[in-house]
Amino acid sequence: MIEKLNQPIYVTQPVLPPLEEFQPYLEQIWKSKWLTNNGPFHQELEKKLAEYLGVEHLALFANGTLALVTALQALRITGEVITTPFSFVATAHSLLWNGIKPVFVDIHPETFNLDPDKIEAAITPQTTAIMPVHVYGRPCDVEKIQTIADTYGLKVIYDAAHAFGVNYKDESLLKHGDLSTLSFHATKVFNTFEGGAIVCPDAKTKKRIDDLKNFGYHDEVTVVAPGINAKMNEVQAAFGLLQLKHISKAIDRRREIDNLYREELSAVAGIFCPLLPADTIYNYSYFPILIEKEYPLSRDELNDKLRQQGIFARRYFYPLISEFPMYRGLPSAAQSNLPIAKEVAFKVLCLPIYPDLANESIIRITAIIKGK
Ligand code: T4K
C-alpha cells in the first residue's frame, strides 16, 4: 500500500494483514465461545512462536510491561537491579512495581546498550540481577554480561522488547540470560495490538510464569502466589497467528528500507547511521541516526523541520529514564554517572521505518535531511 505524498508519516505503523484473512479466526472464536484463559489460539501461538523464534519455551502476556514485572517475580528478584537509562520507561518501572531499586549504569557508545565494563563498579551486596535492554533490537554484549553474572551470582533478565526474531551468532538472541521478555505492542515488528511474552529455558519455569500471570492460581483449590492477571486473550492470539504468516515479508521490507536510508544518507556530513550489529540477523525494528556537530542543525531543529513537513520521527530515548521524577533522585541517575547515555539521548533521532513505508517517502525524508 503506497502512502499519499502529503500524508503525515509517523515513526512506525503497525502491520495489518488483509481484514478478510482475520475473519475465519473470529468466526472460530464466536463458534467456540472460548475467549481467554489459555484457549486454543493461545496454545497454538505459544507453540508456533517458540518454533519461529528458535526458543524452548515461551509464555504469552497481555503486554510487554506485565511480562517484565512477572519475569522479576518469577525469579524472586529483590534489592537492587543494574539497568540502563537508555530505554523506554517501562524497563525501570517494572523494577519499581516490584519494590526493587534500579541502579543505572552507562551505555556503550556503539551498541547503545549497557556497557559491560561499567557494571562491576555498580554491584553492591544488595544487587541480585542485571536487566539489560537490547535497544533497537541490537544485541547486548551477552557474553561479557553472563561472565559478570556468573562471577557475582546474579540473574540476568533481558528486556528484549525490540528484539523479536533477532539471531546472534547463529541462535536466537532470546536464549541469553535467565529470561527474556518481548513486547508485541502495535508499534513493534511483530504485534498483537497489545501483547508480550517471556522466553524461558525449561517447562518448570514456564509453569511458574503461567501461574504468576493467572493470579497465582495453580488449580481450583490451590493459589501459590499473589499473581497478577496478565493473560493474552484469544483475539490477540489469533491475530498473532495471522501476523506470523506475514512476518518474514515484513522483515524483508524493513531490510530494504534500512538499505535505502543508508544509501541516501551515507554522504551527508554530520549524519551518522550506526552500523548494523555484527554476527547478527537483525530485525530492522528502528532506524536511529545520530546528528553530529558537523550537521548544520541540532537534533531538535532537524526534528522540528521534519515535523513541519509532516514527518514524525521520534527521539527514542530522550529524555533518559534516569531524568524522570521518580528516578532522578537516585545516586546512579547523576549525569556524571551517565555521560554516554546523555550524549546519545541528545543526538539520536529514529526515522520512520515500517513495511508499508514507500520508497518515495524515504526519498522525501532523506531529501529534507540533505537540506533539499
Ligand atoms: N521495554 C522496552 C524497551 C520498550 O520499548 C517497551 C515499549 C516496553 C518495554 C513495554 O512494552 P509494552 O508494555 O508497550 O508492550 C511506544 C509504545 O507504546 C511502547 O510499546 C514502546 N515500547 C515505545 C518505544 O514506543 P509511544 O508513546 O512512542 O507510542 P505512540 O503511541 O506515540 O506511537 C508511535 C507512533 O506509532 C505514532 O506516532 C503513530 C504510530 N501508531 C501507534 C499506535 C499505538 C500507529 O500507527 N498505530 C497505533 O496503534 O510508545
Side-chain angles (χ1 to χ4, degrees):
M1 200 188 305
I2 302 293
E3 300 132 324
K4 298 214 176 68
L5 268 182
N6 53 357
Q7 270 181 356
I9 298 175
Y10 296 104
V11 68
T12 189
Q13 192 181 78
V15 172
L16 288 173
L19 189 54
E20 58 274 17
E21 288 186 26
F22 197 38
Q23 184 74 16
Y25 293 89
L26 293 177
E27 281 167 13
Q28 216 166 310
I29 293 171
W30 257 244
K31 206 165 132 204
S32 71
K33 297 190 167 45
W34 197 275
L35 308 188
T36 186
N37 287 10
N38 199 25
F41 284 135
H42 184 285
Q43 289 176 28
E44 193 183 341
L45 183 60
E46 284 196 340
K47 201 167 147 274
K48 293 243 166 83
L49 270 180
E51 270 165 29
Y52 176 81
L53 295 169
V55 300
E56 296 299 323
H57 298 275
L58 176 147
L60 292 172
F61 273 77
N63 61 60
T65 305
L66 284 168
L68 277 170
V69 168
T70 308
L72 290 158
Q73 296 247 333
L75 300 183
R76 296 184 178 279
I77 304 299
T78 57
E80 295 179 3
V81 169
I82 290 171
T83 191
T84 171
F86 190 72
S87 178
F88 189 60
V89 74
T91 309
H93 278 1
S94 71
L95 298 171
L96 290 197
W97 272 80
N98 279 295
I100 295 164
K101 181 176 170 188
V103 175
F104 297 110
V105 163
D106 207 1
I107 60 170
H108 190 277
E110 277 157 30
T111 63
F112 310 135
N113 292 322
L114 263 188
D115 186 340
D117 293 337
K118 294 182 180 156
I119 291 177
E120 277 182 279
I123 296 174
T124 74
Q126 283 72 47
T127 311
T128 55
I130 308 171
M131 188 190 266
V133 180
H134 301 298
V135 170
Y136 310 134
R138 302 162 68 85
C140 292
D141 190 336
V142 289
E143 290 95 353
K144 272 195 188 169
I145 290 172
Q146 196 56 54
T147 303
I148 296 166
D150 291 344
T151 307
Y152 290 88
L154 306 176
K155 299 282 188 198
V156 182
I157 298 175
Y158 281 104
D159 179 344
H162 304 169
F164 183 91
V166 175
N167 270 38
Y168 175 67
K169 294 191 177 165
D170 295 329
E171 65 168 4
S172 171
L173 181 60
L174 306 170
K175 282 185 155 181
H176 290 275
D178 295 280
L179 298 174
S180 287
T181 66
L182 287 162
S183 164
F184 305 149
H185 182 259
T187 55
K188 297 295 188 288
V189 167
F190 172 88
N191 91 79
T192 55
F193 283 43
E194 294 271 1
I198 300 181
V199 171
C200 61
D202 55 75
K204 200 172 144 201
T205 312
K206 174 163 158 51
K207 176 71 185 130
R208 168 134 178 94
I209 291 166
D210 284 343
D211 285 345
L212 283 172
K213 77 175 187 193
N214 186 30
F215 316 102
Y217 186 95
H218 196 90
D219 61 42
E220 222 173 300
V221 291
T222 325
V223 174
V224 294
I228 195 136
N229 180 0
K231 290 166 279 140
M232 178 182 278
N233 68 51
E234 284 293 278
V235 177
Q236 283 172 287
F239 187 78
L241 286 167
L242 176 56
Q243 182 90 181
L244 205 48
K245 292 185 178 168
H246 295 265
I247 190 71
S248 299
K249 223 173 113 205
I251 295 176
D252 285 349
R253 176 62 192 146
R254 284 177 174 274
R255 185 186 309 110
E256 287 172 12
I257 294 170
D258 183 290
N259 284 343
L260 186 52
Y261 269 132
R262 283 174 197 280
E263 249 173 66
E264 289 297 317
L265 295 175
S266 63
V268 185
I271 297 292
F272 177 71
C273 302
L275 303 179
L276 286 169
D279 301 322
T280 301
I281 300 175
Y282 187 46
N283 64 5
Y284 308 90
S285 48
Y286 292 83
F287 193 84
I289 58 171
L290 298 184
I291 290 83
E292 305 286 356
K293 281 201 187 71
E294 308 85 74
Y295 191 74
L297 303 178
S298 70
R299 184 273 310 271
D300 287 351
E301 285 166 344
L302 175 61
N303 192 28
D304 288 346
K305 188 175 164 191
L306 286 164
R307 281 176 163 254
Q308 278 154 20
Q309 302 198 43
I311 315 293
F312 295 89
R314 288 294 286 270
R315 297 171 295 177
Y316 295 135
F317 288 98
Y318 168 87
L320 295 175
I321 299 178
S322 47
E323 288 165 8
F324 291 118
M326 59 300 288
Y327 299 107
R328 65 184 171 219
L330 294 168
S332 65
Q335 289 197 19
S336 55
N337 187 44
L338 308 167
I340 308 291
K342 185 91 195 155
E343 188 183 335
V344 175
F346 260 111
K347 287 182 179 174
V348 74
L349 192 61
C350 287
L351 299 181
I353 184 165
Y354 52 88
D356 278 346
L357 185 66
N359 285 358
E360 292 77 3
S361 300
I362 299 162
I363 301 298
R364 187 177 141 209
I365 295 165
T366 51
I368 299 169
I369 298 172
K370 289 174 194 173
K372 287 184 183 162

